[in-house]
Structure formats: C-alpha cells, structure tokens
Amino acid sequence: MITISVDVMGGDFGPDVAIPGLAKSLERHPELRFDLYGDESRCRPLLARYPGLEKASRFQHCEISVSMEDKPSKALRNGRWRSSMWRAIEAVKNGEANVCVSAGNTGALMAMSRFCLRTMANIERPAIAAISPTLRGERIVLDVGATVGADAQQLIDYSMMGAAMARALFEIDRPTIGLLNVGVEEVKGLEEVKEAGRILRISELPGMRYHGFVEGDDLGKGTVDVVVTEGFAGNIALKSAEGTARQIAEYLRAAMSRTILARLGYILARSAFDRLRDKMDTRKVNGGVFLGLNGIVIKSHGGTDAEGYAAAVDLAHDMARNDLISKIESDLKVFHTRQPAGGVGMSEGQVKE
C-alpha cells in the first residue's frame, strides 16, 4: 500500500481537476491510498461523486491555500503549518505519506519543501527532474527550473540523482548520462560543465554510464537516458520542446481541415494520426520530481486536466514503489566515499585510487 498526500487546492483549477485525476489514477493503481488536504466545502461535494476514491482517502480540512501568484516568501509566511500545501508536504516528513503531489505554485512548493523536508546529506541544492518523450522512448531532464546556475559538484549531484530516478522509473541498471553543452567536444563549454564531465568520466560510478556531452538536438533523439544541466537552460529546453509539440499539432490540425481531399486523407490515415497525437500529448508525461530532498515531492503542471493530473499521481506511485530515496542515498554514499578531501578538483589518479 502506497499513501500519497495531495494538496487538492493547488493549480489553476484546484479540486475540479485534482479529484477526478486522483480517481483515474486509483483505477490504474488500486493499492493507492490518499491523504487529501484542502477546503472541505469545495472538496467534499466533488469527492462524493467518486465513492471508490472517497473510501480510499482521508480528508483534512485546511482554511488556507497557496495561490498561483503568491511569492515563495509570502507563501512561507502565511501558509507554514496551516496551508494545504504545507500540510501535504509535512505528511511526508512525518512518515504519514510516501509522496506528496501538488499542482500549486512551483516557487512556493519548492520553498516549502526545502524548509520542511531539508536537503539530503551532501546535497547543496535540489533539482526538478522532468520526463519527456524521445524517438527512443522517454528520457529525464534535470534541472528544469529549481536553481539557476550550477557548479561542477552540483552537476555531478544532479547526474547521480537523475541516474537513480532513471533506475527507479525505467528499471535500467546503468542509465546513460549526458551533460547538456554547446558541443560534444571536451574543449567546448563552460568550465563548470567541463570539470563535471571530467570527474564523471573518470569516476566510473556503478549506478550510471557517463556518455559525455550532448547538444540540444540530442534531447529529442533520446541519445541518453538522463540529460543534466542547470535550471535556466533546462527550463528553456523543456518549454521549447513542449511548445514545438503544440506548434506541430496545430500545423497538422490546420492542414487536415484545409480541403476535402485533406479531410479524406485524414480519415484514411486516422489511426496513424492518433498514434502521433498520443506521442505528442504532454499530459501523459506530466509531473516534475523534486530531487535532493529527504522525501519525494511531485509537481504537476498547474494548468493540466484530469488526465494530466492522473499522470503525475502515476509518477508518484512509481517513485514510491521503486524506493527512489534509497537509490539516491546509496549513489551519493558511493561517490562521496570515493571522493578525497578537496572534492571536485581531484586528479584522475586520485579518483582511481
């Protein structure tokens, strides 16, 4: 049995999307149980429409909810201890839930998660990891917005956390890791990226295979299982991919309705177009995972629909079932046991020793 704590009020549509989404995920994973936090007057009538979900849930009334416009400082000041977002996170800290899910304000959710759960040992900054489709399946990208800028040690930490997530999600023994760069040559890029690549290449960590540098076009190709970068570039890369998918979908829709022959062609090839639409549907890979904290928090897209919300809950289920936190802790322990004093600046001979 896996228990998920849910900030039902988070997102653009709050419980109107969250509760139907939870019901959809429960149908796929009957072993799930939910601790729901929100405004009882809004949530109870919706919850009554889904008897199975109501039976599998415990509801906790919260008078305060964090709005999508609140600054992180304001959310912490007004919502700590009392808001639906804080209490959902706190349930993970107290061991009452395995994972927290919220579609709420990303900055507020990260600030509250860091304050409540704290970062793991040897992790300076957490990261947000996202999943997106490629020509070869799915891949993980991190960081996609938690922290702007990163030094070599942080990029190495992100690599280990991303590898652990790939093992938990994709069930790959040694996922491939690539550092996003302006070229694949080792002489190119920022010094922090080159230094992180050097350490990853010679460390030969058991939980991953370091591929080397990757470029922007490698994201869609699926060249590696995990793409690692800092939050500024990662967020732009993710949003660009999502925007391109929507752009292509609009082009196809317009082209297929332009003439009678085009409409006829669409009817004849409808199954192929349906498969293409499914592959480009960003709702099916909704959910960013906060990595580096002493607990798992999943951020759903604020404007998603019920199907997208269910995808975020499905992701939470998989992360808990495959014990993501233990995998990250194990990888960090191996790396820092091998690492001598002085950290990232060590020589190739020191690492091999």
Side-chain angles (χ1 to χ4, degrees):
M1 188 179 297
I2 295 170
T3 300
I4 298 177
S5 58
V6 184
D7 167 25
V8 187
M9 307 305 293
D12 296 340
F13 308 106
D16 294 329
V17 161
I19 288 176
L22 293 171
K24 287 178 179 289
S25 186
L26 182 61
E27 292 176 1
R28 297 193 279 261
H29 308 290
E31 72 276 17
L32 285 176
R33 296 295 179 267
F34 299 102
D35 284 344
L36 309 181
Y37 297 87
D39 184 343
E40 192 166 18
S41 63
R42 284 192 62 188
C43 297
R44 283 292 188 186
L46 289 168
L47 196 58
R49 300 177 189 175
Y50 304 94
L53 175 62
E54 190 173 33
K55 185 177 180 181
S57 302
R58 294 182 299 180
F59 190 87
Q60 302 288 330
H61 174 67
C62 301
E63 295 182 356
I64 297 175
S65 60
V66 176
S67 77
M68 298 299 282
E69 294 77 30
D70 283 348
K71 293 182 178 180
S73 57
K74 179 181 178 182
L76 270 173
R77 184 170 59 251
N78 297 337
R80 189 170 32 179
W81 319 120
R82 300 182 295 167
S83 67
S84 56
M85 181 181 286
W86 175 275
R87 293 187 63 188
I89 298 167
E90 192 175 39
V92 174
K93 177 184 177 181
N94 295 337
E96 299 165 2
N98 303 97
V99 192
C100 167
V101 175
S102 174
N105 181 322
T106 304
L109 185 63
M110 176 58 79
M112 284 192 175
S113 297
R114 289 190 68 174
F115 193 93
C116 185
L117 298 175
R118 305 295 182 182
T119 53
M120 302 173 77
N122 297 311
I123 294 293
E124 182 180 348
R125 297 180 180 179
I128 303 176
I131 305 162
S132 57
T134 73
L135 294 175
R136 297 183 180 180
E138 292 180 334
R139 54 111 170 96
I140 295 168
V141 183
L142 76 161
D143 175 28
V144 294
T147 303
V148 173
D151 60 25
Q153 183 59 62
Q154 288 156 7
L155 291 173
I156 293 168
D157 292 340
Y158 294 169
S159 299
M160 289 186 286
M161 293 190 295
M165 180 174 166
R167 296 204 309 276
L169 188 63
F170 305 144
E171 299 182 355
I172 304 172
D173 290 335
R174 295 190 68 200
T176 53
I177 308 296
L179 293 176
L180 188 64
N181 201 3
V182 295
V184 298
E185 298 85 357
E186 294 184 7
V187 296
K188 289 187 175 181
L190 298 171
E191 288 303 318
E192 291 83 357
V193 177
K194 291 190 288 185
E195 178 69 358
R198 184 184 70 82
I199 298 299
L200 288 171
R201 184 178 66 255
I202 63 181
S203 294
E204 298 179 357
L205 295 171
M208 69 173 77
R209 287 187 293 120
Y210 177 60
H211 171 86
F213 295 150
V214 294
E215 298 180 89
D217 60 342
D218 288 304
L219 274 69
K221 293 176 184 176
T223 304
V224 293
D225 300 309
V226 182
V227 176
V228 176
T229 183
E230 53 81 38
F232 185 85
N235 189 271
I236 291 175
L238 182 69
K239 297 293 177 59
S240 296
E242 292 177 349
T244 301
R246 286 192 292 269
Q247 182 181 4
I248 294 172
E250 287 299 321
Y251 283 162
L252 286 173
R253 188 176 295 110
M256 291 300 101
S257 61
R258 189 164 297 165
T259 66
I260 294 176
L261 285 177
R263 293 174 187 172
L264 178 61
Y266 169 75
I267 293 172
L268 294 175
R270 185 170 182 175
S271 60
F273 282 114
D274 286 345
R275 287 194 297 272
L276 176 62
R277 181 189 61 201
D278 288 342
K279 285 184 177 293
M280 296 171 61
D281 189 351
T282 56
R283 297 176 305 171
K284 295 188 175 181
V285 289
N286 176 47
V289 184
F290 288 7
L291 298 178
L293 302 170
N294 291 303
I296 306 173
V297 177
I298 306 292
K299 168 64 173 74
S300 169
H301 195 290
T304 193
D305 59 10
E307 188 60 48
Y309 202 97
V313 179
D314 292 343
L315 178 61
H317 166 271
D318 292 343
M319 294 296 93
R321 179 174 60 87
N322 291 294
D323 202 6
L324 173 62
I325 295 296
S326 293
K327 286 180 170 62
I328 294 175
E329 289 175 340
S330 176
D331 286 4
L332 291 173
K333 183 177 180 180
V334 169
F335 177 80
H336 288 285
T337 298
R338 294 183 178 186
Q339 184 173 337
V344 165
M346 56 190 166
S347 69
E348 183 170 345
Q350 286 178 306
V351 172
K352 288 187 175 180
E353 289 174 3

